[in-house]
Amino acid sequence: MRKNFVEELRWRGMLAQMMPGTEELLQKEMVTAYLGTDPTADSLHIGHLCGIMMLRHLQRCGHRPVILVGGATGMIGDPSGKSQERNLLNDETLRHNQECIKAQVAKFLDFEAEGENAALMVNNYDWMKDFTFLDFAREVGKHITVNYMMAKESVQQRLNGTARDGLSFTEFTYQLLQGYDFLYLYQHYGVKLQLGGNDQWGNMTTGTELIRRTLGNEVETYALTCPLITKSDGKKFGKTESGNIWLDPKRTTPYRFYQFWLNVSDEDAERYIKIFTSLEKDVIDALIEEHRADPGRRVLQKRLAEEVTVMVHSQEALDMAISASNILFGKATKEALEQLDEQTFLDVFEGVPQFTIQKDQLGQVASELFTTTANVFSSKREIREFLKSGALSLNKEKLSEDRAITADDLIDGKYLLVQRGKKNYYLISVGE
């Protein structure tokens, strides 16, 4: 008996709406379903994760996932949920972005699976690049009326919204291009179902309508959406003060990635652990019960952060993120500091008071360097009290005497980490 994909999405809070007959189709046969993503960057961010997890659950339920990278549509931009038109990307950039995205998606989907449900990645640029405007007008444009297109909510929002430039013809045709993708995938890969975020519903149903009008009423295709994920305070999910949380470790370090999930609210943790992990219902229910009994232990957040970090990065990356977290809140050594890459080191100590000195100012004793040169202490008397009591550390090692600070003390060749007592950190950057 095939696992019920719709029921899986339903209990996880990942089902917004679907066309009638979708659940019956999925129970009746192995279904090939696709989800599109525009390669507008060389990395996905966690805003894409709900859609990718839909494909993951689809494959685990015995169906075939197809991820469509919109090389052609990415050159245009989708008006859905946008207040302005996107920048257009060139072919070279789009191809590079596609390769990066495939490497990330391969961590969620099995492209090498035995049997019929191995995941597949396609690029709509491959079938659109030689499709002339006249061909498109004749084969696609004649089937869908302007009245039908104008009625779409995404179009209405742009026409009646605050966008100063209105809606370009390029963007207006986007729903036809996306609809043609569905038609092409149905004809060449047997795709019967399109998945996506709820803001895509209008484009997705245009696809099913185009297929029906092109191939006949007896051809049935379907659409299913997940809700747009928000935080419990109503703010956009995945956005922080410093921007998106990316899946690429060069854009967002595994430490910062781990910390994002670790710091979500209790309410969000209960929702997110269902959406962003593959844990089974009984495991999640037990975790929620354990968490509610003692919220202070943050059982849910810890498990959520661990699961997602391993899935997106690796077990090694998780271990490093936990080790980095312990540097601030637990006992750590100079060796632990030195094992961090520079960006993670800076992420860990983001927000602590910082000073900058020059390399030729090294060689001074601590009581001079940390008072006159870098104002960590207000006076030499104050620093000597800390030295005397053993409450002053440099790079996680106690400074028990007023010794000279030299280049040998530098972390990564350019940083000194001063710690007063248990919780007060100061970062000193050493310039050339």
Side-chain angles (χ1 to χ4, degrees):
M1 182 69 180
R2 182 175 284 111
K3 195 174 180 183
N4 188 324
F5 172 61
V6 172
E7 188 50 46
E8 185 76 12
L9 295 186
R10 196 176 274 127
W11 78 258
R12 289 182 182 275
M14 296 173 71
L15 181 65
Q17 55 186 328
M18 60 181 173
M19 291 175 62
T22 304
E23 188 167 8
E24 291 77 4
L25 174 76
L26 285 155
Q27 285 299 92
K28 185 176 71 177
E29 62 186 72
M30 188 198 82
V31 175
T32 302
Y34 94 96
L35 177 137
T37 184
D38 280 339
T40 47
D42 61 2
S43 173
L44 300 175
H45 53 74
I46 59 174
H48 296 106
L49 268 187
C50 186
I52 301 300
M53 289 303 292
M54 286 173 82
L55 288 177
R56 181 176 172 88
H57 292 308
L58 181 90
Q59 189 170 36
R60 288 161 70 97
C61 289
H63 303 287
R64 187 185 194 197
V66 175
I67 182 156
L68 180 145
V69 175
T73 38
M75 289 178 161
I76 294 171
D78 172 14
S80 303
K82 310 292 187 305
S83 60
Q84 58 189 23
E85 191 160 346
R86 281 186 184 157
N87 293 328
L88 308 186
L89 303 176
N90 62 37
D91 183 35
E92 185 183 351
T93 303
L94 288 165
R95 288 291 180 187
H96 166 74
N97 292 355
Q98 176 189 344
E99 290 309 308
C100 295
I101 289 168
K102 182 168 185 180
Q104 292 178 341
V105 173
K107 295 180 178 181
F108 296 83
L109 305 179
D110 187 353
F111 288 88
E112 311 295 330
E114 293 182 8
E116 298 178 310
N117 78 324
L120 176 70
M121 177 176 270
V122 294
N123 187 334
N124 61 11
Y125 183 72
D126 294 332
W127 57 83
M128 292 303 300
K129 65 180 185 293
D130 298 321
F131 201 12
T132 70
F133 180 76
L134 290 176
D135 289 337
F136 187 79
R138 186 177 65 233
E139 295 180 29
V140 180
K142 73 174 184 181
H143 291 294
I144 302 291
T145 67
V146 170
N147 291 17
Y148 179 88
M149 295 170 70
M150 289 285 287
K152 294 296 181 181
E153 188 179 353
S154 60
V155 172
Q156 287 296 316
Q157 284 176 343
R158 280 292 297 275
L159 288 175
N160 302 324
T162 57
R164 288 176 297 177
D165 300 329
L167 183 71
S168 72
F169 174 76
T170 305
E171 286 187 295
F172 184 56
T173 57
Y174 188 95
Q175 61 176 293
L176 290 184
L177 289 168
Q178 186 170 329
Y180 181 72
D181 284 341
F182 200 172
L183 172 61
Y184 184 93
L185 291 172
Y186 174 82
Q187 291 176 314
H188 292 81
Y189 298 98
V191 172
K192 292 185 179 180
L193 172 64
Q194 184 178 174
L195 307 174
N198 209 31
D199 60 337
Q200 291 290 310
W201 182 255
N203 292 342
M204 292 162 72
T205 51
T206 296
T208 60
E209 185 66 11
L210 177 63
I211 291 169
R212 186 183 68 79
R213 294 186 185 186
T214 304
L215 302 178
N217 290 337
E218 66 279 3
V219 176
E220 294 183 340
T221 51
Y222 302 87
L224 181 153
T225 62
C226 63
L228 298 180
I229 310 301
T230 57
K231 294 194 284 190
S232 54
D233 60 8
K235 291 181 181 174
K236 193 168 183 179
F237 164 76
K239 288 274 190 181
T240 66
E241 288 180 10
S242 54
N244 283 320
I245 301 294
W246 299 91
L247 307 195
D248 183 344
K250 294 191 206 69
R251 287 172 172 256
T252 301
T253 61
Y255 165 78
R256 190 185 285 274
F257 186 87
Y258 172 78
Q259 286 291 323
F260 171 83
W261 299 101
L262 198 61
N263 289 311
V264 301
S265 69
D266 290 349
E267 186 182 336
D268 286 338
E270 286 197 17
R271 288 190 303 132
Y272 294 169
I273 201 161
K274 296 173 185 174
I275 296 169
F276 299 111
T277 78
S278 297
L279 295 173
E280 297 295 339
K281 189 174 187 302
D282 57 341
V283 175
I284 290 176
D285 288 345
L287 283 166
I288 289 173
E289 194 176 326
E290 186 183 354
H291 179 85
R292 287 178 177 174
D294 187 2
R297 288 175 54 219
R298 299 180 72 78
V299 170
L300 267 184
Q301 285 92 335
K302 286 176 183 174
R303 186 63 181 273
L304 170 66
E306 288 169 7
E307 291 287 329
V308 185
T309 304
V310 169
M311 188 162 53
V312 170
H313 296 295
S314 65
Q315 182 63 47
E316 291 74 22
L318 171 65
D319 294 342
M320 201 245 356
I322 293 173
S323 173
S325 302
N326 290 337
I327 286 169
L328 264 186
F329 306 112
K331 291 182 178 179
T333 61
K334 184 179 181 183
E335 286 72 33
L337 284 179
E338 289 172 333
Q339 285 172 4
L340 302 181
D341 61 82
E342 183 178 4
Q343 189 54 58
T344 302
F345 179 82
L346 292 174
D347 283 350
V348 171
F349 296 103
E350 182 184 35
V352 308
Q354 298 194 17
F355 303 90
T356 301
I357 66 172
Q358 298 308 307
K359 212 160 198 174
D360 60 11
Q361 293 175 302
L362 292 172
Q364 300 179 68
V365 293
S367 60
E368 190 72 40
L369 189 67
F370 299 147
T371 55
T372 309
T373 311
N375 202 211
V376 174
F377 293 88
S378 59
S379 68
K380 290 180 182 177
R381 179 182 171 185
E382 184 186 24
I383 189 174
R384 284 183 185 127
E385 288 176 0
F386 274 84
L387 283 165
K388 193 174 178 181
S389 64
L392 176 62
S393 296
L394 176 65
N395 301 332
K396 287 292 181 179
E397 293 180 340
K398 281 202 186 320
L399 272 179
S400 55
E401 56 190 74
D402 197 2
R403 70 170 178 82
I405 310 302
T406 70
D408 292 338
D409 292 307
L410 296 179
I411 297 288
D412 206 22
K414 62 174 90 168
Y415 301 106
L416 295 170
L417 181 69
V418 181
Q419 184 178 356
R420 294 175 45 165
K422 288 186 176 179
K423 294 182 179 177
N424 296 314
Y425 290 94
Y426 304 83
L427 186 61
I428 300 174
S429 300
V430 181
E432 290 302 324

